[in-house]
Amino acid sequence: SGLKEAVVLVTGGGSGLGRALVQRFLSEGARVAVLESSAARAETLRSDFGRAIEVIVGDVTVYADNARAVEQAVARFGRLDTFIANAGIFDFFQPLSQYDGDRLGAAFDELLAVNVKGGLLGARAALAELVKSRGSIIFTISNAGFYPGGGGPIYTASKHALVGVVKQLAHELAPKVRVNGVAPGGMKTNLSGLQSNGTHSQSLADIDGLDQMLRDITPLQIAPKPEDYCGPYVLLASAADAGPITGAIIQTDGGLGVRGIVNVRGGEAL
Ligand code: NAD
């Protein structure tokens, strides 16, 4: 895949999609660093992957933590080729009408701080190294970057915002740094909620019947696992394979954009 010896920094690599990306990039021959806020998950990464990876415990919403992650990755591996802004939190579909008005602002601030500000801070921290390496940035978006109902208004706003961030940074950082996104559909992970509304320890994996729901709503009738979403990241990270690609978002959501009006999928009888 052209990623041998490439250095990749992934945020939120301690769980779910981020952890699957760690494994996938290692298996592609890349060297991997992780910025992860959970000390316990960081420890598990260290014991599972040992010296193969560099793990930095820190918070994507704090610029100094992003800067430290880039510094440590470069100190350890000598360069940085790809920054993957992946850490995220969820609003558990909470509709506008169900927020107390005086709590809405805190929920918005907390969620957008991680999902949007975190990506911008990380991109800023990684920038000089990516210019040097002619590297790239990949944002984890979501079907919620394109369609309603994949979250509540706060999560949907955060992922639509990232679509704009991809376009703006792809423009600003050309010709030296490519900037793209991957927009996965649902998957059973520990994706969790907010301190400010008490859903911090709730997790998407606790939703009963999530996989069946995903099979029902996707034209491709699938309930992918995190590892099923990693291929597009490998493609976008590879200068050899994705050299001309910037400002693109690969939607890997089982075909939500081609759901039919009458039937979810048209090929049941094939
Ligand atoms: P996850 O909770 O399993 O993994 C996210 C990781 O990020 C966790 O290890 C968490 O500790 C870490 N993290 C959270 N806040 C952080 C912070 N402030 N600083 C550093 N690390 C932090 O969830 P996941 O589903 O793997 O989420 C990864 C990305 O995928 C998110 O951007 C999410 O929005 C996106 N996504 C998830 C789904 C889904 O259905 N699970 C669908 C589409 C997109």
Side-chain angles (χ1 to χ4, degrees):
S1 67
L3 292 174
K4 277 238 157 340
E5 307 299 299
V7 179
V8 179
L9 170 60
V10 187
T11 69
S15 172
L17 179 57
R19 196 181 144 99
L21 288 168
V22 169
Q23 280 176 295
R24 179 63 189 269
F25 276 98
L26 284 174
S27 78
E28 297 289 332
R31 292 166 296 175
V32 178
V34 171
L35 173 59
E36 166 61 53
S37 59
S38 156
R41 287 177 183 160
E43 208 34 62
T44 305
L45 280 174
R46 290 191 186 106
S47 65
D48 290 350
F49 300 103
R51 294 278 304 155
I53 65 172
E54 181 73 18
V55 185
I56 299 96
V57 177
D59 183 341
V60 298
T61 69
V62 177
Y63 180 73
D65 288 4
N66 287 280
R68 187 161 49 85
V70 171
E71 261 166 48
Q72 265 181 243
V74 173
R76 172 79 185 280
F77 299 124
R79 55 187 287 130
L80 181 65
D81 298 284
T82 302
F83 171 64
I84 304 180
N86 170 76
I89 53 178
F90 192 49
D91 64 5
F92 287 98
F93 307 101
Q94 189 168 333
L96 187 68
S97 60
Q98 283 175 28
Y99 283 94
D100 289 337
D102 60 1
R103 296 200 163 181
L104 179 58
F108 180 95
D109 290 349
E110 183 180 353
L111 191 144
L112 269 83
V114 177
N115 290 15
V116 184
K117 183 170 75 180
L120 280 176
L121 296 179
R124 180 66 188 88
L127 185 54
E129 290 298 330
L130 296 176
V131 167
K132 267 193 239 167
S133 65
R134 301 293 189 269
S136 84
I137 303 175
I138 305 171
F139 287 88
T140 294
I141 306 183
S142 165
N143 49 264
F146 297 88
Y147 314 116
I154 297 180
Y155 186 74
T156 301
S158 78
K159 294 299 185 177
H160 273 65
L162 287 179
V163 171
V165 168
V166 166
K167 293 178 187 175
Q168 180 66 25
L169 295 189
H171 169 69
E172 287 184 15
L173 305 187
K176 292 188 174 159
V177 178
R178 297 180 301 107
V179 182
N180 296 292
V182 177
M187 64 191 126
K188 226 171 181 171
T189 67
N190 296 308
L191 188 63
S192 59
L194 309 177
Q195 307 268 10
S196 58
N197 67 8
T199 60
H200 179 64
S201 50
Q202 210 168 303
S203 143
L204 199 60
D206 300 336
I207 297 179
D208 280 342
L210 183 70
D211 279 349
Q212 189 53 50
M213 189 262 278
L214 291 171
R215 280 188 286 270
D216 290 343
I217 65 171
T218 49
L220 291 182
Q221 210 161 54
I222 50 173
K225 297 185 170 29
E227 51 269 33
D228 301 322
Y229 290 116
C230 293
Y233 290 84
V234 171
L235 170 75
L236 291 171
S238 165
D241 288 328
I245 306 182
T246 197
I249 297 171
I250 302 181
Q251 293 178 259
T252 60
D253 58 17
L256 293 179
V258 293
R259 272 173 62 113
I261 303 296
V262 176
N263 298 305
V264 170
R265 55 195 78 79
E268 302 270 21
L270 293 176

